[in-house]
Amino acid sequence: MKRIVLLLILAAAPAAFPFPPPDNPEAVHWQQQARNVIITRDNWGIAHVHGKTDADAVFGTIYAQAEDDFNRVETNYINAMGRLAEAKVSPKFIRTCA
């Protein structure tokens, strides 16, 4: 019985103590952008993105891609920054060169 009461208290805690809104204006902007997008997935896991504008649809598409394959998104970003060699080189290789 005590466990059930404890579980109910823990389940209700997030509603009783909501997180404050972020102070970062950029985070607020991205949250507003996300509200304009609806992403649904069919039985095969394919993302169907609907947005109020083309920019909203592009945002949703990129978000869905990051959900599906974040490793590739991160690798492409690192490659575009010109730092792929830093990320791909193993620490063992660096110790032997030093």
Side-chain angles (χ1 to χ4, degrees), residues 32-55:
Q32 291 170 348
Q33 180 84 26
R35 286 190 196 105
N36 296 332
V37 178
I38 297 173
I39 301 172
T40 55
R41 296 197 180 259
D42 59 18
N43 293 337
W44 295 280
I46 305 298
H48 299 273
V49 180
H50 304 280
K52 293 181 180 178
T53 65
D54 288 345

Side-chain angles (χ1 to χ4, degrees), residues 20-84:
D23 294 332
N24 185 353
E26 187 174 347
V28 172
H29 169 72
W30 289 118
Q31 287 176 350
Q32 291 170 348
Q33 180 84 26
R35 286 190 196 105
N36 296 332
V37 178
I38 297 173
I39 301 172
T40 55
R41 296 197 180 259
D42 59 18
N43 293 337
W44 295 280
I46 305 298
H48 299 273
V49 180
H50 304 280
K52 293 181 180 178
T53 65
D54 288 345
D56 294 335
V58 170
F59 175 83
T61 302
I62 295 170
Y63 189 90
Q65 182 185 6
E67 283 182 333
D68 293 342
D69 192 6
F70 185 75
N71 186 34
R72 183 177 307 181
V73 172
E74 185 179 39
T75 302
N76 289 341
Y77 174 74
I78 292 169
N79 188 29
M81 297 291 292
R83 302 186 77 161
L84 188 60

